Amino acid sequence: MDLYMKIAVEEARTGIQSGHGGPFGCVIVRDGVIIGKGHNEVVRQHDPTCHGEMMAIRDACKNLNSYDLSGCELYTTAQPCPMCQGAVLWANIKKVYYGCNISDTDKIGFRDQEFFTQPWNHSEELDREECLKVFEEYIQIKDRKHY
């Protein structure tokens, strides 16, 4: 078994044995060094965004004091959901390795299959002009960090 995946599996076990959430553990590595790890804490934190990947990304960013994880690789026990995929992209993580796929997570009661295959039609544009004013204010700030 791959060393980093083994640690991700250990994270998942820690989470489920502690009652924190589902069997999802994650490790983030840069240049052969683990810079972040986490497991699902949705139940513990009462927060649906506390997936293993999100917790590991938060940990890595905190440890590096940066929101940019360029050059990092992510190892996770299950294929990232759409939210976690988005976080991986925003964090600039270059490669993801996962153990179980979305069919596997579906079989144990998670809704990943539904989220991956169904269109999302729960949004609509509202008060665009007022929001564009805020964007304009942002553009006017000198030396802003573009993120």
Side-chain angles (χ1 to χ4, degrees), residues 3-4 6 8 13 23 26 51 76 98 103 119 130 139 145 147:
L3 171 66
Y4 302 123
K6 181 179 180 184
R13 284 195 174 113
C26 184
H51 290 194
T76 182
Y98 62 88
S103 294
E130 192 63 29
I139 291 170
K145 291 194 179 213
Y147 195 81

Side-chain angles (χ1 to χ4, degrees), residues 19-89:
H20 293 172
F24 309 108
C26 184
V27 173
I28 298 176
V29 177
R30 179 186 277 166
D31 299 324
V33 176
I34 295 173
I35 60 165
K37 59 185 181 174
H39 58 265
N40 184 291
E41 293 191 35
V42 169
V43 174
R44 178 178 184 224
Q45 300 285 346
H46 307 286
D47 183 342
T49 69
C50 289
H51 290 194
E53 297 91 342
M54 301 297 284
M55 301 305 287
I57 289 170
R58 290 172 183 148
D59 188 45
C61 289
K62 178 181 160 192
N63 291 334
L64 294 179
N65 195 31
S66 175
Y67 54 82
D68 186 359
L69 300 179
S70 293
C72 293
E73 296 178 330
L74 184 146
Y75 295 77
T76 182
T77 56
Q79 187 174 356
C81 73
M83 174 184 68
C84 293
Q85 284 180 356
V88 164
L89 292 171

